[in-house]
Amino acid sequence: MRFPKFPRSMRQLSTHVLAIALGIVLTISTLQVLPSQAEPAPIAPAVDSSEIIAQRESPATSAIGSSSFVTAAVNRVGTAVVRIDTERTITRRIDPFFQDPFFRRFFGDSYPQQIPSEQQLRGLGSGFIIDKSGLVLTNAHVVDKADKVTVRLKDGRTFEGKVQGIDEVTDLAVVKINAGNDLPVAPLGSSSNVQVGDWAIAVGNPLGFDNTVTLGIVSTLKRSSAQVGISDKRLDFIQTDAAINPGNSGGPLLNGRGEVIGINTAIRPDAMGIGFAIPIDKAKAIASALQRDGKVAHPYLGVQMVTLTPELAKQNNTDPNSPIQIPEINGVFVMQVVPNSPAASAGIRRGDVIVQVDGKPITSAEQLQNLVEDSRLGQVLQVKVQRGNQTQQISVRTGELQNAS
């Protein structure tokens, strides 16, 4: 059987029609298999822009909240923070060589007159008002040896300040200004309630930039002055990562509620990201004594000491070049005895290890220092020392520690 032959044009047309039909079938099947790709995207309900912003907040912003507690804290205490400017005149001795007649003939009589015999030094610090009558608390090193003290309030008023008392041992000072009885007062908190991780807000005039606020946290507590590197002080500092620079000294360190928990002090010029503050509880007691007596009496023994552990003693004893063998015990090793001190008069010697005071075991230099600081001036302390293989009981009457000045 033979099929009829179609013209060539008809065959081409049927081929095109078949191709179009096949394309339509494939398109329909694709839409049925992947309906999600063909459907329009769902329209999200309208959302308040404030909610979107809240969702994009950083963790720090979320912790602080939309209403900054820092602003509230600074507003609470800010007007009580002051700037303290000091002036001090020092006298320079002119070398006798410049007064020699030969020098005068060679250089002329006017040359020595160009060398100033006096020089005026200016200082800058911070402080805060603790009483409506005009009592200002600051660091001792801010106003020490100053001939003139000027206190500038935040509202621009300036007053001459009179230093009522300085205590170099705790680096605290009280300054009095006469500005009436309606001055803003900084609310004082309690440093005994401070915990590591609490907010720390430093307020002051760092590097001459007035009314500056920095924020951080409390990094650690009871950082001893010996650890900080200032052995002539008797302090356990609050350590913070809030920026504290020269000019901040004497300004307040606040908690999140705007209460003063410490007094900032820029004692380590090489500190990077580390600041220190004197606990306010210590400052309260010192300020009262300075206001009343103008000074504070600090008991002392008169020894240079270091904490001793069995490990440190063993390390020393195994060193063939060590000049002394140390008992391998816990205690305080006496490195040096100050001449004419209570310790020297009582018979304490270099190389002794203090292990007890009034029956209390002593395991660190900081512990011994705090115990002596808390004693009364002239109190007799029973000090037990290990001297070589022998133990001795020594009675030491505390003396008064004199300021370096």
Side-chain angles (χ1 to χ4, degrees):
M1 180 177 178
R2 301 185 60 174
F3 294 96
K5 296 183 178 180
F6 294 98
R8 182 177 180 180
S9 59
M10 291 294 293
R11 292 198 302 269
Q12 291 177 344
L13 178 61
S14 61
T15 301
H16 287 306
V17 171
L18 181 60
I20 293 172
L22 181 60
I24 293 173
V25 171
L26 291 175
T27 300
I28 294 174
S29 63
T30 302
L31 292 176
Q32 291 176 347
V33 174
L34 302 173
S36 61
Q37 296 183 13
E39 296 174 355
I43 300 176
V47 179
D48 187 1
S49 60
S50 63
E51 295 182 4
I52 297 177
I53 294 175
Q55 292 174 2
R56 295 178 181 176
E57 287 179 344
S58 67
T61 305
S62 177
I64 295 175
S66 58
S67 179
S68 174
F69 72 92
V70 180
T71 301
V74 173
N75 288 339
R76 186 180 181 189
V77 75
T79 55
V81 180
V82 301
R83 168 174 169 157
I84 299 178
D85 295 292
T86 61
E87 296 180 8
R88 176 188 174 193
T89 301
I90 61 174
T91 302
R92 296 182 180 275
R93 296 183 59 185
I94 299 178
D95 195 315
F97 172 75
F98 296 128
Q99 304 294 338
D100 189 274
F102 173 79
F103 182 89
R104 289 178 177 273
R105 289 196 303 269
F106 191 81
F107 290 100
D109 291 341
S110 62
Y111 185 81
Q113 298 177 2
Q114 299 176 4
I115 304 175
S117 59
E118 292 185 348
Q119 182 179 5
Q120 192 175 64
L121 302 180
R122 299 180 184 274
L124 168 67
S126 304
F128 55 96
I129 303 171
I130 59 174
D131 187 89
K132 286 184 177 294
S133 64
L135 290 179
V136 177
L137 190 59
T138 185
N139 281 147
H141 73 262
V142 171
V143 297
D144 188 26
K145 299 181 179 66
D147 299 321
K148 182 180 180 182
V149 176
T150 303
V151 178
R152 182 187 301 273
L153 275 60
K154 188 176 181 181
D155 59 14
R157 291 183 292 166
T158 60
F159 302 92
E160 182 177 354
K162 180 181 179 181
V163 179
Q164 285 202 329
I166 289 178
D167 183 43
E168 294 182 359
V169 176
T170 57
D171 196 22
L172 290 169
V174 173
V175 178
K176 179 71 166 62
I177 60 174
N178 294 319
N181 294 315
D182 193 26
L183 291 171
V185 176
L188 304 184
S190 175
S191 50
S192 62
N193 298 327
V194 177
Q195 300 183 48
V196 174
D198 285 349
W199 290 110
I201 307 167
V203 186
N205 310 288
L207 305 174
F209 297 110
D210 292 352
N211 307 316
T212 297
V213 178
T214 55
L215 175 66
I217 62 169
V218 174
S219 304
T220 192
L221 300 171
K222 297 184 178 180
R223 179 70 73 193
S224 71
S225 54
Q227 292 175 321
V228 174
I230 48 173
S231 57
D232 60 328
K233 307 298 181 186
R234 287 189 179 181
L235 289 168
D236 287 331
F237 292 102
I238 298 173
Q239 182 178 320
T240 175
D241 64 350
I244 297 177
N245 295 294
N248 266 123
S249 288
L253 185 71
L254 312 177
N255 60 18
R257 297 183 297 277
E259 300 169 335
V260 180
I261 57 173
I263 302 174
N264 303 320
T265 179
I267 54 175
R268 286 289 297 267
D270 59 337
M272 299 295 292
I274 299 177
F276 301 96
I278 304 168
I280 194 61
D281 290 351
K282 181 73 171 181
K284 290 177 185 177
I286 297 298
S288 298
L290 290 177
Q291 182 185 357
R292 182 181 63 252
D293 305 322
K295 66 175 185 177
V296 179
H298 294 277
Y300 89 118
L301 298 183
V303 295
Q304 296 178 3
M305 54 192 176
V306 64
T307 300
L308 178 68
T309 64
E311 293 75 19
L312 289 175
K314 185 176 182 180
Q315 182 178 356
N316 170 84
N317 296 338
T318 55
D319 184 355
N321 297 318
S322 175
I324 187 174
Q325 292 291 300
I326 303 175
E328 297 180 7
I329 56 176
N330 289 303
V332 172
F333 181 75
V334 177
M335 300 178 62
Q336 190 71 38
V337 179
V338 179
N340 302 319
S341 66
S345 301
I348 293 180
R349 302 177 185 176
R350 178 184 179 184
D352 286 349
V353 179
I354 299 175
V355 294
Q356 281 187 9
V357 173
D358 287 346
K360 299 178 181 178
I362 300 297
T363 58
S364 70
E366 291 78 19
Q367 180 190 5
L368 177 57
Q369 178 174 285
N370 292 334
L371 191 150
V372 174
E373 177 71 14
D374 294 338
S375 67
R376 300 184 310 275
L377 190 63
Q379 179 178 345
V380 177
L381 302 178
Q382 300 300 324
V383 180
K384 184 178 180 180
V385 302
Q386 184 77 27
R387 182 176 297 169
N389 296 325
Q390 298 181 346
T391 301
Q392 295 193 19
Q393 193 82 15
I394 301 176
S395 299
V396 185
R397 185 182 298 274
T398 62
E400 182 177 355
L401 181 65
Q402 301 297 322
N403 285 337
S405 58

